[in-house]
Structure formats: C-alpha cells, structure tokens
Amino acid sequence: MDKKEIWKNVLSCLEAELSKPTIAAFFGHTELGSFESGVAKVLCPSHLSAEYLKTRYQKLITEVLGDLSGQSCRVSFEIKPLPPTKSQTLGPIFKTREQDGLVPSYTFENFVIGFSNQLAVSVAQVVTENPGKLHNPLFLHSSVGLGKTHLLHAIGHAIKEQDQEATVLYSPTERFTNEMVRAIQDRRSMSSFRKKFRSVDVLLVDDTQFLAGRVATQEEFFNTFNELYLAGKQIILTSDRRPSEIKQLEDRLVSRFSGGMVIDIQEPDLDMRAEILRRKAAARGANLQEETILLLAEQISGSVRQLEGVLNQLLTIAAAQNTVPSPELVNGVLASLPQPKRFISPEGILTAVCQKFNLKPEVLRSPKRTKEVVRPRQITAYLLRNLSQISLQQIGELLGGRDHSTILHSLGKIEEELTRDPFLRSQVEALRAELSPA
Ligand code: ADP
Ligand code: MG
C-alpha cells in the first residue's frame, strides 16, 4: 500500500470517532510524509495545525495506524515543506501566506455578526472593497477578546482574495517595535526594515496602545504611516481604546489615527453569544443541545474569548468522561470557574452599593455631583465593569445615561484611588465579597 492509500484508510477509520466536518477541517490538508517500521510522519499545512493535531489527535492516530498496520507505531506531526518557490515570478517574498502573518481561520466567514459588531463589520467590508480609498486609516477599538484581531485578519484575507497581487502585512505593534530596535542596532538592516513596512498595499497593525510612551517607535511609525498614506495604501489599526485615550501618544499620531474612520466593537449580546457558541461547537464537531447553548450564553457574559474558553473546557471534560455536554455538566463547569468570570447581575450590584451607602438608586442615576453620590457611583461603575463585565456604554446607561468617556474617567479615578486609599479598598472589597462569595 502506498502512503496516500494508507492515509486515506486512516482518515476513514477516524470517521468512527470524529464527524466528517471535523475530519475535513483538521485533516483536509494533511498527508502522510513517510511511514517506515512503524514510524510515521504526518505533514501539516502550518505550524498551528501541526501543534493542534499533535495535542488533540496524536494518540488517536497512533492507535488507528497501529490497528491498520498490525505493529506498534510512533507518529509525529511536521510542517509540509513549501512547494518549490516560484517567488522569482511572484515578486516580493512577503506576498506568500507565510510572510503576511495572517491566521488562516480568522476570516469573515468564521466571524459571527451581531448587534455589537455589525457596524465594524460593515465598515470593514467597505474597506475591503475599496482599499486605500475610503476610511483610511480604519481604527478599530474594543476591550480584549471581542474580535479586533480576528477582524483585522479577515480584512487582510479578503483583500488578498480579491486581488492576488495585493501585498498585505499583519504586525502586532510589539513586533514593529522589536524589529525596529533590532534594525537600529544593526544599522545596515534599517533600510530593509523600512522597505518591509513601507512597500505593502495594506498594513494591519494590532494593539497600537503599546505605542504609548515609546518616543522612537512613534517617530518611525509616524513616518511609516505617512509614506503609506500618501501613496494611497490602506492602513488598519486596532487598540483597546480610542486614539485620544491612548496615554502618551503624540498628538500628531492621535490626529492621524483619528483621521479616517474610528469604530468600536461592543460586547456580544445574548443572541450573539448563543450563535457564537453554536458555530464554535459545530466547528469542533460537537453537537450541543439548544438548552445547553442557551444556558452557557446566559451565564457567561463578557468577551468572546471567555466564551470560547468555557466551551473548550466543557467539550474537553465531556470528551474525557465520554458523555455529551449536558446542562448538568455545564453547571458543574460554571461552578468551577473563578468567580469574576461568572455573571453577576448589574441590578444586584446597584442594589448592594445603594444599601451600603444608604442611597436610593434614583439618586445614583441622577445628575447630582455631590461627594456623597459621586464616590458610590464610581464604585458602582467599577464593580459593574469588573464583576458583570458589561460594556462602558451599558454602564453609562445603567447610571442614568452617562456617556462612556465619563465612565472611563470614573474607572480611572477609582483605580488610582484604590492604590492609595485603604479605606476605599476595604469598602470595595467588602462589596465584592458580598456580591461574589468565594
Ligand atoms: P481581540 O483582538 O479584540 O482581543 P480576538 O480577535 O483575539 O479579540 O478574539 C478572541 C477570540 O474570539 C478569537 O478566537 C476570535 O476568533 C473569537 N471571536 C471574537 N469575535 C468573534 C465573532 N464575532 N465571531 C466568531 N469568533 C469571534
Ligand atoms: Mg487582539
């Protein structure tokens, strides 16, 4: 039997254990590189896929190969060698997938659209269709785990799909900084550093809040930005806050960053959380009951990353126990989560603060700005943010229609005071303990 046939047999044996979509998704681009005296090398399309298959399926594949060949086997996962380079004819080397830094699964297709991100997605699509022409730069911001990085990659993929000649480069801000520092140390490489970042059609820079306070990086970034911008190239940036809120960012960069389209992503609502769970479970070949999906979606608010984390935990436990992820199992998993990840109702927080400070909720929501009201209001905002993890906008609404920058200011104020006021710390800790007993 040749290697191709052996591998085909292995994959069809896997059907007893895994769903067809799972097999297609994870093994579709794999092949058997070699198989001699029980030692098999599986070739994978990327480093990520090799890692993933190794952690999840090494044991299973080893067993199946052992059964098929009637000998004890060892299996390793390696990256497929690249096909002979045609880069001379294709142009600059960073046109290839390996060099653009894009994660294959972060596509528009895999991105669930809901109320909280629909605006960001539609602007992203407009940019995709008209790179460099409308909305330049596009600046996406949100708190962590809400899909900025995913969306950034999705735009990169879509632009490349549309125009195979387009050069796209994804770089986290940290990488820009590190490569710049290295280039400065080795003077000769400065020009290739500049060429790398300034000769692309689309530059995707993630987490620009990390430019804060870095004078030399900001200078270099400013020049990179201008050169690309003037050449009509598309620039897309992300950050955990809007440009004007990034501390120690030069005014000229704040103004450049704000000069195109600034748009935020909010936390997913219940419907969207449920849809994300459905899609992520299906992608993993798990069949979750609707009841289970809704229970999870209701109990876990906050970021998509958190949602994914709990789902993974649930599926892993279910697989280990060889059971389906029932509502009982969900409750067990939720109970084992650290408290802050669990949902504490915003109303509960409001009531607890009002009781402690002997205030009526109406007063907390009123425009009143006396000391007796301002402090409890700030504490409420702080607890809402940390315990129920609702968005700044939602906190603002709950506190009488204040806007999100006011809330951000309150949070900053409390966080600062907490570091130097032990009495405030004890008040906040008492409330936190009351709301989420360990
Ligand atoms: P951020 O960059 O805002 O911190 P990420 O883009 O890293 O967030 O998203 C965290 C995880 O959640 C990723 O695995 C991403 O694929 C997933 N995710 C976020 N938003 C969505 C969405 N709308 N649909 C599907 N997956 C999402
Ligand atoms: Mg990110």
Side-chain angles (χ1 to χ4, degrees):
M1 230 192 295
D2 74 350
K3 286 179 296 185
K4 257 199 179 133
E5 215 152 314
I6 298 176
W7 195 232
K8 219 170 115 194
N9 285 343
V10 170
L11 296 188
S12 64
C13 289
L14 287 185
E15 282 177 23
E17 309 269 346
L18 305 171
S19 75
K20 276 195 175 153
T22 305
I23 296 175
F26 294 119
F27 295 95
H29 297 282
T30 56
E31 56 188 79
L32 192 58
S34 62
F35 184 45
E36 271 162 39
S37 0
V39 180
K41 200 190 287 173
V42 178
L43 300 178
C44 309
S46 68
H47 184 66
L48 209 69
S49 115
E51 277 290 299
Y52 190 84
L53 293 181
K54 179 166 181 257
T55 39
R56 288 190 55 88
Y57 298 118
Q58 189 171 35
K59 188 160 167 269
L60 182 62
I61 303 282
T62 309
E63 283 169 11
V64 170
L65 252 183
D67 287 348
L68 280 175
S69 65
Q71 58 188 330
S72 81
C73 292
R74 273 213 324 270
V75 177
S76 66
F77 295 84
E78 290 178 22
I79 306 169
K80 248 186 231 181
L82 290 174
T85 34
K86 294 186 216 132
S87 57
Q88 287 90 337
T89 51
L90 277 177
I93 185 102
F94 47 76
K95 271 190 176 170
T96 62
R97 184 165 282 264
E98 285 66 32
Q99 300 289 322
D100 61 21
L102 297 178
V103 174
S105 63
Y106 283 0
T107 59
F108 275 120
E109 246 179 23
N110 293 338
F111 200 66
V112 175
I113 303 174
F115 191 67
S116 65
N117 66 6
Q118 61 187 9
L119 210 56
V121 174
S122 67
V123 173
Q125 277 163 345
V126 168
V127 167
T128 300
E129 282 156 27
N130 310 275
K133 298 207 173 61
L134 301 161
H135 312 319
N136 204 14
L138 169 60
F139 190 98
L140 295 165
H141 66 98
S142 78
S143 47
V144 296
L146 295 182
K148 297 180 296 294
T149 298
H150 188 139
L151 200 51
L152 200 57
H153 286 243
I155 298 172
H157 285 304
I159 291 180
K160 285 181 70 166
E161 234 160 66
Q162 193 175 276
D163 174 5
Q164 314 224 318
E165 294 291 299
T167 50
V168 174
L169 178 64
Y170 167 82
S171 173
T173 298
E174 290 292 354
R175 191 180 303 156
F176 181 88
T177 305
N178 293 339
E179 290 189 14
M180 184 191 88
V181 169
R182 235 177 288 140
I184 291 174
Q185 283 163 356
D186 171 16
R187 287 209 151 263
R188 280 163 308 169
S189 53
M190 201 60 200
S191 70
S192 68
F193 167 80
R194 292 204 167 124
K195 192 160 164 240
K196 172 175 172 181
F197 282 92
R198 298 183 189 188
S199 62
V200 292
D201 298 316
V202 182
L203 180 63
L204 311 167
V205 181
D206 215 353
D207 293 317
T208 56
Q209 71 272 13
F210 294 129
L211 287 171
R214 288 171 163 161
V215 179
T217 315
Q218 288 188 24
E219 168 82 27
E220 182 65 25
F221 197 76
F222 180 74
N223 294 328
T224 306
F225 185 104
N226 282 347
E227 199 160 319
L228 288 170
Y229 182 82
L230 290 174
K233 308 299 189 185
Q234 179 69 47
I235 301 157
I236 309 171
L237 310 165
T238 75
S239 161
D240 67 351
R241 60 202 78 186
R242 53 180 67 246
S244 57
E245 287 162 358
I246 302 179
K247 292 198 188 103
Q248 295 177 292
L249 182 67
E250 289 173 24
D251 289 345
R252 56 183 186 164
L253 277 173
V254 173
S255 111
R256 290 294 187 286
F257 288 3
S258 316
M261 174 66 93
V262 176
I263 206 143
D264 67 340
I265 301 178
Q266 294 287 328
E267 280 160 10
D269 57 19
L270 181 64
D271 280 349
M272 188 171 156
R273 295 201 295 271
E275 182 58 19
I276 289 171
L277 287 166
R278 279 183 211 110
R279 294 262 291 265
K280 303 261 171 199
R284 295 192 44 176
N287 195 0
L288 288 194
Q289 286 169 0
E290 195 54 22
E291 191 190 350
T292 312
I293 299 257
L294 289 178
L295 182 63
L296 274 174
E298 268 164 14
Q299 294 290 316
I300 305 158
S301 65
S303 81
V304 180
R305 185 170 293 139
Q306 228 170 62
L307 210 56
E308 275 186 336
V310 177
L311 178 69
N312 283 343
Q313 215 174 328
L314 180 73
L315 295 180
T316 309
I317 294 174
Q321 298 180 353
N322 209 3
T323 58
V324 288
S326 61
E328 291 72 40
L329 197 62
V330 171
N331 283 325
V333 170
L334 289 172
S336 72
L337 289 180
Q339 285 299 324
K341 285 198 178 157
R342 296 199 54 198
F343 182 75
I344 294 171
S345 87
E347 291 72 25
I349 294 174
L350 226 66
T351 314
V353 175
C354 285
Q355 260 171 12
K356 185 163 181 78
F357 292 96
N358 204 9
L359 288 172
K360 291 212 170 72
E362 302 88 86
V363 180
L364 218 52
R365 285 194 282 261
S366 73
K368 226 171 159 177
R369 294 200 43 87
T370 54
K371 207 169 134 232
E372 294 71 35
V373 186
V374 169
R375 184 40 62 83
R377 192 182 286 135
Q378 289 172 339
I379 293 178
T380 311
Y382 178 82
L383 291 171
L384 283 169
R385 187 63 183 163
N386 286 283
L387 297 181
S388 77
Q389 305 193 344
I390 60 178
S391 69
L392 293 175
Q393 205 173 340
Q394 287 166 315
I395 296 175
E397 277 159 22
L398 271 167
L399 291 176
R402 296 179 145 75
D403 74 44
H404 92 284
S405 61
T406 310
I407 301 298
L408 201 65
H409 176 77
S410 301
L411 294 175
K413 184 94 188 126
I414 281 282
E415 276 162 15
E416 196 188 320
E417 298 272 312
L418 277 173
T419 62
R420 46 164 195 244
D421 180 350
F423 180 63
L424 174 66
R425 221 162 36 230
S426 70
Q427 284 180 319
V428 170
E429 277 318 309
L431 278 163
R432 192 199 281 272
E434 182 187 326
L435 287 160
S436 60

Short mmCIF file of all heavy atoms in Angstrom, two decimals, residues 78-109:
data_model
loop_
_atom_site.label_atom_id
_atom_site.label_comp_id
_atom_site.label_asym_id
_atom_site.label_seq_id
_atom_site.Cartn_x
_atom_site.Cartn_y
_atom_site.Cartn_z
N GLU A 78 4.63 17.24 11.38
CA GLU A 78 5.58 18.25 10.92
C GLU A 78 4.96 19.15 9.86
O GLU A 78 3.91 18.82 9.30
CB GLU A 78 6.82 17.56 10.35
CG GLU A 78 7.61 16.91 11.48
CD GLU A 78 8.83 16.16 11.00
OE1 GLU A 78 9.31 16.48 9.88
OE2 GLU A 78 9.27 15.28 11.74
N ILE A 79 5.64 20.25 9.60
CA ILE A 79 5.09 21.17 8.61
C ILE A 79 5.51 20.71 7.22
O ILE A 79 6.65 20.32 7.01
CB ILE A 79 5.61 22.60 8.85
CG1 ILE A 79 5.29 22.98 10.30
CG2 ILE A 79 4.96 23.59 7.91
CD1 ILE A 79 5.97 24.23 10.72
N LYS A 80 4.56 20.78 6.31
CA LYS A 80 4.83 20.40 4.93
C LYS A 80 5.89 21.32 4.36
O LYS A 80 5.80 22.54 4.52
CB LYS A 80 3.56 20.66 4.10
CG LYS A 80 2.88 19.43 3.59
CD LYS A 80 1.75 19.86 2.69
CE LYS A 80 0.48 19.15 3.14
NZ LYS A 80 -0.68 19.48 2.33
N PRO A 81 6.88 20.76 3.68
CA PRO A 81 7.84 21.67 3.03
C PRO A 81 7.10 22.49 1.98
O PRO A 81 6.15 21.99 1.37
CB PRO A 81 8.85 20.73 2.38
CG PRO A 81 8.31 19.36 2.52
CD PRO A 81 7.14 19.35 3.44
N LEU A 82 7.52 23.74 1.83
CA LEU A 82 6.85 24.57 0.84
C LEU A 82 7.10 24.03 -0.56
O LEU A 82 8.15 23.45 -0.82
CB LEU A 82 7.41 26.00 0.91
CG LEU A 82 7.02 26.78 2.15
CD1 LEU A 82 7.76 28.10 2.18
CD2 LEU A 82 5.52 27.01 2.16
N PRO A 83 6.15 24.20 -1.46
CA PRO A 83 6.41 23.79 -2.83
C PRO A 83 7.57 24.61 -3.38
O PRO A 83 7.83 25.70 -2.87
CB PRO A 83 5.11 24.14 -3.56
CG PRO A 83 4.39 25.08 -2.66
CD PRO A 83 4.86 24.80 -1.27
N PRO A 84 8.27 24.09 -4.37
CA PRO A 84 9.42 24.82 -4.90
C PRO A 84 9.05 26.28 -5.15
O PRO A 84 7.99 26.55 -5.72
CB PRO A 84 9.72 24.10 -6.22
CG PRO A 84 8.74 22.97 -6.32
CD PRO A 84 7.92 22.90 -5.09
N THR A 85 9.87 27.20 -4.67
CA THR A 85 9.48 28.61 -4.74
C THR A 85 9.38 29.10 -6.18
O THR A 85 10.25 28.85 -7.00
CB THR A 85 10.48 29.53 -4.02
OG1 THR A 85 11.75 28.95 -4.21
CG2 THR A 85 10.17 29.72 -2.58
N LYS A 86 8.29 29.81 -6.38
CA LYS A 86 8.15 30.48 -7.67
C LYS A 86 8.31 31.96 -7.40
O LYS A 86 7.79 32.78 -8.12
CB LYS A 86 6.75 30.21 -8.23
CG LYS A 86 6.52 28.76 -8.57
CD LYS A 86 5.14 28.64 -9.25
CE LYS A 86 4.45 27.36 -8.86
NZ LYS A 86 3.07 27.54 -8.46
N SER A 87 9.01 32.29 -6.30
CA SER A 87 8.97 33.68 -5.87
C SER A 87 9.60 34.62 -6.89
O SER A 87 9.26 35.78 -6.93
CB SER A 87 9.63 33.84 -4.51
OG SER A 87 10.93 33.36 -4.58
N GLN A 88 10.51 34.11 -7.72
CA GLN A 88 11.09 35.00 -8.72
C GLN A 88 9.99 35.55 -9.62
O GLN A 88 9.99 36.70 -9.98
CB GLN A 88 12.10 34.26 -9.60
CG GLN A 88 13.39 33.95 -8.89
CD GLN A 88 13.33 32.60 -8.21
OE1 GLN A 88 12.24 32.11 -7.89
NE2 GLN A 88 14.49 32.01 -7.96
N THR A 89 9.04 34.69 -9.94
CA THR A 89 7.99 35.17 -10.83
C THR A 89 6.86 35.83 -10.05
O THR A 89 6.12 36.61 -10.61
CB THR A 89 7.40 34.01 -11.65
OG1 THR A 89 7.05 32.99 -10.73
CG2 THR A 89 8.40 33.49 -12.67
N LEU A 90 6.76 35.49 -8.77
CA LEU A 90 5.65 36.05 -8.00
C LEU A 90 5.95 37.42 -7.41
O LEU A 90 5.07 38.08 -6.90
CB LEU A 90 5.31 35.11 -6.84
CG LEU A 90 4.39 33.95 -7.20
CD1 LEU A 90 4.21 33.07 -5.97
CD2 LEU A 90 3.06 34.45 -7.69
N GLY A 91 7.23 37.82 -7.43
CA GLY A 91 7.55 39.11 -6.87
C GLY A 91 8.04 38.96 -5.44
O GLY A 91 8.52 37.91 -5.06
N PRO A 92 7.88 40.03 -4.64
CA PRO A 92 8.47 40.04 -3.30
C PRO A 92 8.01 38.83 -2.49
O PRO A 92 6.87 38.41 -2.59
CB PRO A 92 7.94 41.33 -2.67
CG PRO A 92 7.46 42.15 -3.80
CD PRO A 92 7.14 41.23 -4.93
N ILE A 93 8.90 38.33 -1.68
CA ILE A 93 8.64 37.10 -0.96
C ILE A 93 7.50 37.25 0.04
O ILE A 93 6.78 36.32 0.31
CB ILE A 93 9.93 36.63 -0.25
CG1 ILE A 93 9.73 35.27 0.42
CG2 ILE A 93 10.42 37.61 0.78
CD1 ILE A 93 10.33 34.16 -0.37
N PHE A 94 7.31 38.49 0.58
CA PHE A 94 6.28 38.61 1.60
C PHE A 94 4.87 38.54 1.03
O PHE A 94 3.89 38.73 1.72
CB PHE A 94 6.46 39.87 2.47
CG PHE A 94 6.72 41.12 1.70
CD1 PHE A 94 5.70 41.76 1.04
CD2 PHE A 94 8.00 41.65 1.65
CE1 PHE A 94 5.94 42.91 0.34
CE2 PHE A 94 8.24 42.81 0.95
CZ PHE A 94 7.22 43.44 0.29
N LYS A 95 4.77 38.26 -0.26
CA LYS A 95 3.44 38.02 -0.80
C LYS A 95 2.88 36.68 -0.36
O LYS A 95 1.71 36.44 -0.42
CB LYS A 95 3.50 38.03 -2.32
CG LYS A 95 3.32 39.40 -2.88
CD LYS A 95 3.15 39.36 -4.37
CE LYS A 95 2.89 40.74 -4.89
NZ LYS A 95 2.94 40.79 -6.33
N THR A 96 3.77 35.77 0.04
CA THR A 96 3.27 34.44 0.35
C THR A 96 2.57 34.45 1.70
O THR A 96 2.83 35.28 2.55
CB THR A 96 4.41 33.42 0.41
OG1 THR A 96 5.26 33.83 1.46
CG2 THR A 96 5.19 33.37 -0.88
N ARG A 97 1.71 33.49 1.85
CA ARG A 97 0.91 33.37 3.06
C ARG A 97 1.75 33.35 4.33
O ARG A 97 1.42 33.94 5.33
CB ARG A 97 0.10 32.09 2.95
CG ARG A 97 -0.86 31.85 4.06
CD ARG A 97 -1.82 30.78 3.66
NE ARG A 97 -2.82 31.29 2.76
CZ ARG A 97 -4.02 31.70 3.17
NH1 ARG A 97 -4.34 31.62 4.42
NH2 ARG A 97 -4.90 32.16 2.33
N GLU A 98 2.88 32.65 4.25
CA GLU A 98 3.70 32.51 5.45
C GLU A 98 4.25 33.85 5.91
O GLU A 98 4.58 34.04 7.04
CB GLU A 98 4.86 31.54 5.19
CG GLU A 98 4.44 30.08 5.18
CD GLU A 98 3.53 29.75 4.02
OE1 GLU A 98 3.67 30.38 2.94
OE2 GLU A 98 2.64 28.91 4.18
N GLN A 99 4.38 34.79 4.97
CA GLN A 99 5.02 36.04 5.33
C GLN A 99 4.03 37.14 5.70
O GLN A 99 4.43 38.13 6.27
CB GLN A 99 5.88 36.53 4.15
CG GLN A 99 6.97 35.56 3.75
CD GLN A 99 8.08 35.50 4.79
OE1 GLN A 99 8.42 36.53 5.36
NE2 GLN A 99 8.62 34.34 5.04
N ASP A 100 2.78 36.96 5.35
CA ASP A 100 1.86 38.07 5.61
C ASP A 100 1.37 38.08 7.05
O ASP A 100 0.79 39.05 7.51
CB ASP A 100 0.69 38.07 4.62
CG ASP A 100 -0.15 36.80 4.70
OD1 ASP A 100 -0.09 36.11 5.73
OD2 ASP A 100 -0.85 36.51 3.72
N GLY A 101 1.63 37.00 7.79
CA GLY A 101 1.28 36.96 9.20
C GLY A 101 -0.20 36.68 9.47
O GLY A 101 -0.64 36.79 10.60
N LEU A 102 -0.94 36.32 8.43
CA LEU A 102 -2.38 36.12 8.64
C LEU A 102 -2.71 34.72 9.14
O LEU A 102 -2.19 33.73 8.63
CB LEU A 102 -3.15 36.37 7.33
CG LEU A 102 -3.06 37.79 6.76
CD1 LEU A 102 -3.82 37.87 5.44
CD2 LEU A 102 -3.60 38.82 7.75
N VAL A 103 -3.58 34.63 10.14
CA VAL A 103 -4.04 33.35 10.66
C VAL A 103 -5.16 32.84 9.74
O VAL A 103 -6.15 33.52 9.54
CB VAL A 103 -4.59 33.50 12.10
CG1 VAL A 103 -5.20 32.20 12.59
CG2 VAL A 103 -3.49 34.00 13.03
N PRO A 104 -4.99 31.62 9.17
CA PRO A 104 -5.95 31.15 8.16
C PRO A 104 -7.41 31.13 8.63
O PRO A 104 -8.31 31.42 7.85
CB PRO A 104 -5.47 29.73 7.86
CG PRO A 104 -4.03 29.73 8.22
CD PRO A 104 -3.86 30.71 9.34
N SER A 105 -7.65 30.82 9.90
CA SER A 105 -9.05 30.67 10.31
C SER A 105 -9.73 32.01 10.64
O SER A 105 -10.94 32.06 10.84
CB SER A 105 -9.13 29.76 11.53
OG SER A 105 -8.45 30.37 12.60
N TYR A 106 -8.96 33.07 10.74
CA TYR A 106 -9.57 34.36 11.07
C TYR A 106 -10.14 35.01 9.80
O TYR A 106 -9.57 35.95 9.26
CB TYR A 106 -8.55 35.30 11.71
CG TYR A 106 -8.26 35.00 13.17
CD1 TYR A 106 -8.89 33.94 13.84
CD2 TYR A 106 -7.37 35.78 13.90
CE1 TYR A 106 -8.61 33.67 15.17
CE2 TYR A 106 -7.09 35.52 15.23
CZ TYR A 106 -7.72 34.47 15.85
OH TYR A 106 -7.46 34.21 17.18
N THR A 107 -11.27 34.50 9.34
CA THR A 107 -11.87 35.00 8.11
C THR A 107 -13.22 35.64 8.43
O THR A 107 -13.77 35.44 9.51
CB THR A 107 -12.12 33.84 7.13
OG1 THR A 107 -12.99 32.90 7.79
CG2 THR A 107 -10.83 33.16 6.75
N PHE A 108 -13.77 36.36 7.45
CA PHE A 108 -15.12 36.91 7.59
C PHE A 108 -16.12 35.78 7.79
O PHE A 108 -17.05 35.88 8.56
CB PHE A 108 -15.51 37.72 6.36
CG PHE A 108 -15.03 39.15 6.41
CD1 PHE A 108 -14.18 39.65 5.44
CD2 PHE A 108 -15.46 40.00 7.42
CE1 PHE A 108 -13.74 40.97 5.48
CE2 PHE A 108 -15.04 41.33 7.47
CZ PHE A 108 -14.17 41.80 6.50
N GLU A 109 -15.89 34.69 7.04
CA GLU A 109 -16.81 33.55 7.12
C GLU A 109 -16.98 33.03 8.54
O GLU A 109 -18.06 32.65 8.95
CB GLU A 109 -16.24 32.41 6.28
CG GLU A 109 -17.06 32.08 5.10
CD GLU A 109 -16.41 30.97 4.30
OE1 GLU A 109 -15.62 30.19 4.85
OE2 GLU A 109 -16.72 30.91 3.11
#
